[in-house]
Amino acid sequence: MKRAHQQHRHQPFDSILAALSVDLLIQILERVDDPRDRKAWRLVCRDFLRAEALHRRALRVLRLEALPGLLRRYAACLDLLDLSACPGLGDHALATALFAGAGSWLLKSVSLSRASGVGWRGLAALAAACPRLESVDLSHCVGVGDREAAALAAAEGLRMLRLDKCLRVTDVGLAKLAVGCPALENLSIKWCLEISDIGIELLAKKCRDLRVLDISYLKITNSSVKSISSLGKLEVLSMVGCSNIDDEGLQFLDNGSNSLRSIDVSRCDNVTASGLTSVIEGHICLQKLNVGDCFPELAPLFLSKLNGLKDSLTVLILDGFQVSASSLKIIGVNCKNLSEIGLSKCKWVTDEGISELAAGCVNLMSIDLTCCRMLTDKALMAIGEQNKKLVCLRLESCSLITDKGLEHIGTGCPNLEEIDLTDCPITDTAMKYLSRCWELMILKLGLCDKISSEGLVHIASNCQNLRELDLYRCIEVTDDGLAAIATGCSKLQKLNLCYCIQITDRGMKHLSCLEDLRDLELRGLHHVTSLGVTSIAIGCRRLTELDLKRCNLVDNVGLCALAQYTGNLRQINISYCPVSSMGLCKLLGTLKCLQDVKLVHLTHVPVEHLELALRAYGGQLKKLKLFIGLRDLLSPWLIQMLHARRCRIRWVDKPLVFSP
């Protein structure tokens, strides 16, 4: 009778579920936007879980031990797999996980960025298991070389490949890829310093469909540009810091193909206005031009040629130039469709010039005026009146602007999403004006020592979409300001409170309700104790980066709380903290996702205990910072072991200075 009663009690719910087909459940799921709600949704029952598995197209794995099970569940539907945050991933783990979904993989894109443990065997397994593979990201895998490139060349359908800072890839590896993957359309080999003109020449011959190519910082010459110029479909070319390329090389790009839409030659020391003029003349449909830090002064010929791009150019980056008011007036006349302009660290930028620019380019959405120290409120008034579509404004170190200027920004730019006011002489009144920008997502106020909790209350009252807040050395900010931010800006993901010396454990308690917080910097907070860190650890479970350097009251209790609750932590700085061997061993012994650890001047940890903790760490450390005095005290075996695991040790020579 009891069993029958239970069946009768559950019957209405079961009958409802039986009436919902998988297709209908998927349609319901598509209307659930919040990731946390999606997670709760799939835990309702097996049918909901199955529908979520069939609907999911992308997966980012955070823990190695969960990888096989996740791939078995989602193998049949995934298009994109992100393993860049999966610590300890190596060839065996990758091959085993791929085998779990053998025969059913539809994967098109895989990210292995910074997965330094993956070698040629893992990549060979990837190419064999995923016949539809089109995109692979191996950026910052410093151990990847020619053998790995050859293994990946078996993925003949590959269209996008990132090899940034794969330092061991040479012309041989590039040749293997060019021959094996002729359909490549997007390739980045930035910082692959062993690649020369020979490799680029073969690449240009074999991969004729290339549309996006990044060869920044390579030691190539004009010969490579000549080879690249034969690519008739090339649309985006980045050559940042290619110091061996000059005007003669750029002239090769004036080949009449007119395919280029974006070119970046910033920091190319030997490029002048003459070379850029030839690029402009050959590509009248150019949309983006970055010539920052190339030559000191804008030549009249270059400015006049911009008129040929008046219908197409939308992005112009001129960082580091001497830019007069007359030059900005010409840009305003010739480039009326500009949506972004970069004038960072440009000399001679004045209010008059910005007024001319703003009046001519009314569609500007992003303006970078970093370190343009001659600007006053008049420039901001012009921007506020003319550039109503502005989304991003960078004003770092513009020391002559005041609250009055920002009143015009708050009133005239309601769509503003990002503003950088680092080291600007503003007060809480400016925050009142900026609170009108209700779509604000990024606010940087570092070194603004007149900003107090009152200003944060203004921001919290209306800027509910705020994701990033920088309060570095805002010494007037108190716990009350953090209470307002925690209440009004619940979506905050990144917060910098370094050297905000009035913050205490009460402020940490307020912040503990920020469930989405991922990056928290608390350096130099002498009134924050382990109790405050414990509040953060319990409340902010998604935390991945934490800076506790010089938090003199954070001890083993704080580290134990982090070890217990912050399983996703990937980067931590506890330099100068009064922690002992027990706290350090607990931290390193528990948090398997840690990849970047800074342990400078832990005076309460003996050398032998530090070595024991590092030996026992079971994760995959990629970066480790230690005091240089330990180099001769730690065993050579430990250092060799860390290097063998591809952990980069940074030895710092800083004296032990006790903070007041």
Side-chain angles (χ1 to χ4, degrees):
M1 289 292 294
K2 185 176 180 181
R3 179 177 297 179
H5 175 71
Q6 289 177 342
Q7 290 177 348
H8 176 73
R9 185 178 61 185
H10 290 146
Q11 186 174 2
F13 182 71
D14 294 338
S15 61
I16 291 174
L17 288 182
L20 298 178
S21 66
V22 173
D23 290 339
L24 188 57
L25 289 175
I26 289 175
Q27 290 182 38
I28 296 172
L29 180 59
E30 287 175 347
R31 289 165 171 78
V32 181
D33 296 325
D34 192 303
R36 287 169 294 188
D37 292 340
R38 282 173 170 262
K39 183 176 181 180
W41 190 90
R42 68 173 179 255
L43 295 177
V44 172
C45 64
R46 290 184 178 179
D47 286 338
F48 280 35
L49 181 63
R50 180 168 174 265
E52 192 270 344
L54 293 172
H55 177 264
R56 182 181 285 270
R57 294 293 178 266
L59 179 66
R60 187 170 188 258
V61 182
L62 302 179
R63 294 178 177 277
L64 184 61
E65 60 271 20
L67 182 60
L70 288 171
L71 295 190
R72 275 194 297 270
R73 181 188 305 169
Y74 298 117
C77 300
L78 282 182
D79 289 332
L80 187 153
L81 178 62
D82 186 352
L83 300 175
S84 60
C86 196
L89 182 68
D91 286 343
H92 178 72
L94 179 60
T96 302
L98 290 170
F99 181 76
S104 58
W105 283 116
L106 301 176
L107 270 178
K108 294 181 180 180
S109 177
V110 176
S111 176
L112 294 167
S113 176
R114 302 183 188 276
S116 55
V118 174
W120 68 271
R121 292 183 178 87
L123 294 176
L126 177 66
C130 305
R132 301 189 183 188
L133 197 62
E134 295 180 359
S135 173
V136 175
D137 185 353
L138 289 171
S139 57
H140 300 279
C141 294
V142 294
V144 167
D146 293 340
R147 197 170 188 182
E148 286 73 21
L152 197 56
E156 58 184 23
L158 208 61
R159 283 174 168 75
M160 196 284 282
L161 177 61
R162 288 194 61 183
L163 295 172
D164 303 353
K165 270 202 171 179
C166 292
L167 303 178
R168 298 182 182 179
V169 175
T170 70
D171 292 333
V172 175
L174 186 60
K176 293 282 187 180
L177 287 167
V179 173
C181 307
L184 270 177
E185 296 178 0
N186 187 327
L187 176 64
S188 179
I189 47 177
K190 181 166 56 176
W191 285 110
C192 294
L193 301 179
E194 298 300 319
I195 291 177
S196 69
D197 293 335
I198 298 173
I200 299 298
E201 181 182 5
L202 183 60
L203 175 71
K205 288 180 178 179
K206 296 295 183 180
C207 300
R208 304 299 300 169
D209 292 331
L210 272 174
R211 298 179 184 275
V212 180
L213 179 61
D214 191 341
I215 52 173
S216 298
Y217 301 104
L218 299 194
K219 300 175 183 178
I220 55 176
T221 68
N222 294 335
S223 176
S224 286
V225 184
K226 183 178 181 181
S227 301
I228 291 169
S229 67
S230 67
L231 295 170
K233 298 181 181 180
L234 192 66
E235 296 178 0
V236 180
L237 177 60
S238 297
M239 302 190 295
V240 181
C242 292
S243 55
N244 294 327
I245 293 175
D246 56 24
D247 293 345
E248 181 182 347
L250 292 187
Q251 288 172 2
F252 288 123
L253 297 177
D254 183 11
N255 57 5
S257 69
N258 198 33
S259 64
L260 273 182
R261 298 294 182 268
S262 171
I263 184 166
D264 187 346
V265 291
S266 56
R267 300 178 185 172
C268 291
D269 302 333
N270 293 312
V271 167
T272 71
S274 175
L276 290 173
T277 299
S278 63
V279 174
I280 294 174
E281 290 177 337
H283 300 276
I284 59 173
C285 294
L286 205 62
Q287 298 173 1
K288 180 177 179 180
L289 181 59
N290 188 339
V291 296
D293 301 301
C294 282
F295 44 92
E297 190 172 357
L298 289 177
L301 178 62
F302 170 74
L303 290 171
S304 65
K305 292 297 181 183
L306 290 178
N307 185 53
L309 304 175
K310 62 182 179 181
D311 295 326
S312 62
L313 194 65
T314 58
V315 179
L316 180 60
I317 309 298
L318 302 171
D319 298 346
F321 278 84
Q322 294 179 15
V323 184
S324 65
S326 60
S327 296
L328 290 176
K329 182 177 181 179
I330 295 173
I331 293 173
V333 172
N334 291 342
C335 308
K336 291 187 177 296
N337 289 326
L338 275 187
S339 63
E340 177 181 349
I341 189 163
L343 299 170
S344 175
K345 299 181 182 178
C346 286
K347 298 179 181 179
W348 311 119
V349 176
T350 63
D351 295 337
E352 179 187 356
I354 294 301
S355 298
E356 296 283 2
L357 177 70
C361 304
V362 296
N363 294 318
L364 277 171
M365 299 178 66
S366 178
I367 304 176
D368 189 349
L369 300 172
T370 300
C371 295
C372 294
R373 303 179 190 277
M374 298 175 67
L375 296 180
T376 71
D377 293 337
K378 292 181 180 179
L380 300 188
M381 183 186 304
I383 292 172
E385 291 177 352
Q386 301 291 342
N387 305 124
K388 303 296 184 180
K389 300 179 181 179
L390 195 66
V391 172
C392 175
L393 180 61
R394 298 189 177 98
L395 298 168
E396 179 181 351
S397 297
C398 292
S399 54
L400 298 180
I401 67 170
T402 69
D403 299 340
K404 188 65 177 176
L406 290 171
E407 181 179 9
H408 296 284
I409 298 299
T411 303
C413 306
N415 299 320
L416 195 69
E417 296 180 1
E418 175 182 350
I419 187 166
D420 188 348
L421 295 167
T422 303
D423 198 19
C424 291
I426 57 173
T427 70
D428 293 331
T429 304
M431 299 300 100
K432 181 179 180 180
Y433 298 142
L434 289 178
S435 66
R436 300 168 184 169
C437 304
W438 62 275
E439 293 189 14
L440 197 63
M441 298 178 66
I442 300 175
L443 176 60
K444 297 185 179 181
L445 301 170
L447 297 172
C448 296
D449 55 8
K450 296 180 182 178
I451 297 295
S452 71
S453 295
E454 181 183 345
L456 298 187
V457 170
H458 289 309
I459 294 297
S461 67
N462 198 40
C463 302
Q464 299 178 0
N465 291 320
L466 200 67
R467 299 295 198 276
E468 179 179 340
L469 178 61
D470 186 349
L471 298 171
Y472 176 78
R473 289 192 184 274
C474 291
I475 56 177
E476 296 299 323
V477 170
T478 67
D479 296 333
D480 293 335
L482 297 188
I485 290 295
T487 302
C489 307
S490 59
K491 298 177 182 178
L492 202 66
Q493 297 179 3
K494 184 175 183 179
L495 178 61
N496 186 345
L497 295 173
C498 292
Y499 303 106
C500 295
I501 55 178
Q502 297 194 52
I503 301 299
T504 71
D505 287 342
R506 190 165 67 91
M508 298 299 103
K509 183 65 175 177
H510 293 313
L511 295 180
S512 66
C513 68
L514 296 173
E515 296 182 359
D516 290 332
L517 195 64
R518 288 168 169 77
D519 186 340
L520 181 60
E521 298 183 59
L522 304 175
R523 182 179 302 195
L525 301 192
H526 302 311
H527 298 299
V528 170
T529 71
S530 291
L531 182 62
V533 173
T534 300
S535 298
I536 293 294
I538 294 174
C540 306
R541 300 294 183 93
R542 298 186 179 185
L543 204 63
T544 59
E545 297 183 25
L546 179 62
D547 188 345
L548 295 172
K549 182 179 179 180
R550 295 190 182 277
C551 290
N552 299 334
L553 299 180
V554 175
D555 55 19
N556 292 341
V557 175
L559 294 196
C560 289
L562 292 172
Q564 182 175 355
Y565 297 108
T566 58
N568 292 324
L569 206 61
R570 278 164 176 69
Q571 180 174 319
I572 190 169
N573 187 350
I574 55 172
S575 299
Y576 299 89
C577 290
V579 300
S580 71
S581 307
M582 186 272 287
L584 181 62
C585 289
K586 179 70 173 178
L587 187 79
L588 295 183
T590 306
L591 298 180
K592 303 304 182 184
C593 291
L594 279 176
Q595 298 178 8
D596 187 341
V597 181
K598 298 176 176 64
L599 307 174
V600 178
H601 288 308
L602 300 183
T603 57
H604 294 74
V605 180
V607 175
E608 56 271 20
H609 292 176
L610 173 63
E611 177 154 344
L612 181 64
L614 291 173
R615 287 191 182 197
Y617 179 62
Q620 184 71 42
L621 275 183
K622 296 180 180 179
K623 294 182 181 179
L624 176 64
K625 182 184 284 190
L626 297 170
F627 176 55
I628 195 171
L630 296 173
R631 180 183 283 176
D632 296 328
L633 299 177
L634 294 171
S635 69
W637 180 88
L638 172 67
I639 296 174
Q640 290 174 6
M641 180 197 74
L642 291 171
H643 285 314
R645 293 181 178 178
R646 294 179 178 147
C647 174
R648 183 162 60 90
I649 305 176
R650 181 182 174 191
W651 304 98
V652 294
D653 188 9
K654 293 183 178 180
L656 179 59
V657 178
F658 293 97
S659 302

Short mmCIF file of all heavy atoms in Angstrom, two decimals, residues 253-260 277-285:
data_model
loop_
_atom_site.label_atom_id
_atom_site.label_comp_id
_atom_site.label_asym_id
_atom_site.label_seq_id
_atom_site.Cartn_x
_atom_site.Cartn_y
_atom_site.Cartn_z
N LEU A 253 52.94 45.13 -50.95
CA LEU A 253 51.51 44.94 -50.70
C LEU A 253 50.64 45.74 -51.65
O LEU A 253 49.43 45.49 -51.75
CB LEU A 253 51.19 45.34 -49.24
CG LEU A 253 51.86 44.49 -48.15
CD1 LEU A 253 51.52 45.03 -46.79
CD2 LEU A 253 51.45 43.02 -48.27
N ASP A 254 51.24 46.70 -52.33
CA ASP A 254 50.51 47.48 -53.33
C ASP A 254 50.49 46.70 -54.65
O ASP A 254 51.10 47.08 -55.65
CB ASP A 254 51.17 48.84 -53.51
CG ASP A 254 50.42 49.73 -54.49
OD1 ASP A 254 49.29 49.36 -54.87
OD2 ASP A 254 50.97 50.78 -54.88
N ASN A 255 49.75 45.57 -54.60
CA ASN A 255 49.79 44.65 -55.74
C ASN A 255 48.48 44.64 -56.53
O ASN A 255 48.28 43.81 -57.41
CB ASN A 255 50.11 43.23 -55.27
CG ASN A 255 49.11 42.74 -54.23
OD1 ASN A 255 48.13 43.43 -53.92
ND2 ASN A 255 49.35 41.57 -53.68
N GLY A 256 47.58 45.54 -56.17
CA GLY A 256 46.34 45.63 -56.91
C GLY A 256 45.27 44.63 -56.52
O GLY A 256 44.18 44.64 -57.08
N SER A 257 45.56 43.74 -55.53
CA SER A 257 44.55 42.74 -55.15
C SER A 257 43.40 43.36 -54.37
O SER A 257 42.27 42.88 -54.42
CB SER A 257 45.21 41.64 -54.31
OG SER A 257 45.58 42.14 -53.03
N ASN A 258 43.70 44.43 -53.62
CA ASN A 258 42.68 45.18 -52.88
C ASN A 258 41.89 44.30 -51.91
O ASN A 258 40.71 44.53 -51.66
CB ASN A 258 41.72 45.88 -53.84
CG ASN A 258 40.95 46.99 -53.17
OD1 ASN A 258 41.47 47.64 -52.27
ND2 ASN A 258 39.72 47.21 -53.57
N SER A 259 42.53 43.26 -51.36
CA SER A 259 41.81 42.36 -50.46
C SER A 259 41.96 42.76 -48.99
O SER A 259 41.10 42.44 -48.17
CB SER A 259 42.31 40.92 -50.65
OG SER A 259 43.67 40.82 -50.29
N LEU A 260 43.04 43.44 -48.63
CA LEU A 260 43.32 43.75 -47.23
C LEU A 260 42.23 44.63 -46.63
O LEU A 260 41.85 45.65 -47.19
CB LEU A 260 44.68 44.44 -47.08
CG LEU A 260 45.90 43.55 -46.92
CD1 LEU A 260 47.14 44.40 -46.72
CD2 LEU A 260 45.75 42.59 -45.74
N THR A 277 51.83 54.88 -47.14
CA THR A 277 51.10 55.48 -48.26
C THR A 277 50.88 54.47 -49.37
O THR A 277 49.79 54.40 -49.96
CB THR A 277 51.87 56.70 -48.79
OG1 THR A 277 52.00 57.66 -47.75
CG2 THR A 277 51.16 57.31 -49.96
N SER A 278 51.89 53.65 -49.64
CA SER A 278 51.74 52.64 -50.69
C SER A 278 50.70 51.60 -50.31
O SER A 278 49.97 51.09 -51.17
CB SER A 278 53.08 51.97 -50.97
OG SER A 278 53.55 51.27 -49.83
N VAL A 279 50.60 51.27 -49.01
CA VAL A 279 49.58 50.32 -48.56
C VAL A 279 48.19 50.90 -48.77
O VAL A 279 47.28 50.23 -49.26
CB VAL A 279 49.81 49.96 -47.08
CG1 VAL A 279 48.66 49.09 -46.57
CG2 VAL A 279 51.13 49.23 -46.90
N ILE A 280 48.02 52.18 -48.38
CA ILE A 280 46.72 52.82 -48.52
C ILE A 280 46.30 52.89 -49.98
O ILE A 280 45.15 52.61 -50.34
CB ILE A 280 46.76 54.23 -47.90
CG1 ILE A 280 46.96 54.13 -46.39
CG2 ILE A 280 45.48 55.00 -48.21
CD1 ILE A 280 47.16 55.46 -45.71
N GLU A 281 47.23 53.23 -50.84
CA GLU A 281 46.91 53.36 -52.26
C GLU A 281 46.51 52.02 -52.88
O GLU A 281 45.68 51.96 -53.79
CB GLU A 281 48.11 53.93 -53.02
CG GLU A 281 48.38 55.39 -52.71
CD GLU A 281 49.62 55.91 -53.41
OE1 GLU A 281 50.49 55.07 -53.78
OE2 GLU A 281 49.73 57.13 -53.60
N GLY A 282 47.08 50.95 -52.37
CA GLY A 282 46.80 49.63 -52.95
C GLY A 282 45.57 48.96 -52.38
O GLY A 282 45.14 47.92 -52.89
N HIS A 283 45.00 49.53 -51.29
CA HIS A 283 43.88 48.85 -50.63
C HIS A 283 42.85 49.89 -50.21
O HIS A 283 42.78 50.30 -49.05
CB HIS A 283 44.37 48.05 -49.43
CG HIS A 283 45.36 46.98 -49.80
ND1 HIS A 283 44.98 45.74 -50.24
CD2 HIS A 283 46.71 46.99 -49.84
CE1 HIS A 283 46.06 45.01 -50.51
NE2 HIS A 283 47.12 45.75 -50.28
N ILE A 284 42.03 50.30 -51.14
CA ILE A 284 41.09 51.37 -50.88
C ILE A 284 39.90 50.93 -50.02
O ILE A 284 39.09 51.77 -49.64
CB ILE A 284 40.57 51.95 -52.22
CG1 ILE A 284 39.87 50.85 -53.04
CG2 ILE A 284 41.68 52.60 -53.01
CD1 ILE A 284 39.19 51.38 -54.28
N CYS A 285 39.82 49.64 -49.71
CA CYS A 285 38.75 49.15 -48.84
C CYS A 285 39.24 48.87 -47.42
O CYS A 285 38.57 48.20 -46.63
CB CYS A 285 38.12 47.88 -49.42
SG CYS A 285 37.25 48.14 -50.98
#
